[in-house]
Amino acid sequence: AMKLLVLSDTHLGPGQCGRLIDRLGDRLRSSDGILHAGDITDSSVLTELSAFAPVYAVLGNNDHGVALPERRVVELA
């Protein structure tokens, strides 16, 4: 079975993703994919999360200057 980690509203700035990675711990390391439902606020968060699993993200209302679609459909196993 595929394990997906679903996140939203992380609201982290540059250099702050380590806090999220520490908090998610084993859940992040055992994920096959990460779905982020918006309000990332800094694209470095996506870069850091993608070191663990593929990240599929959409734009949130606080995501200014982050190049993401407003809607995304992905087919997963």
Side-chain angles (χ1 to χ4, degrees), residues 19-63:
R19 294 178 13 211
L20 179 64
I21 291 168
D22 290 345
R23 177 167 275 174
L24 294 174
D26 291 336
R27 287 178 278 184
L28 182 59
R29 286 183 274 286
S30 67
S31 294
D32 297 311
I34 301 167
L35 305 178
H36 198 301
D39 287 347
I40 296 150
T41 66
D42 188 80
S43 61
S44 67
V45 173
L46 298 176
T47 301
E48 292 196 42
L49 291 176
S50 69
F52 295 92
V55 178
Y56 307 96
V58 294
L59 192 68
N61 66 320
N62 289 297
D63 291 327

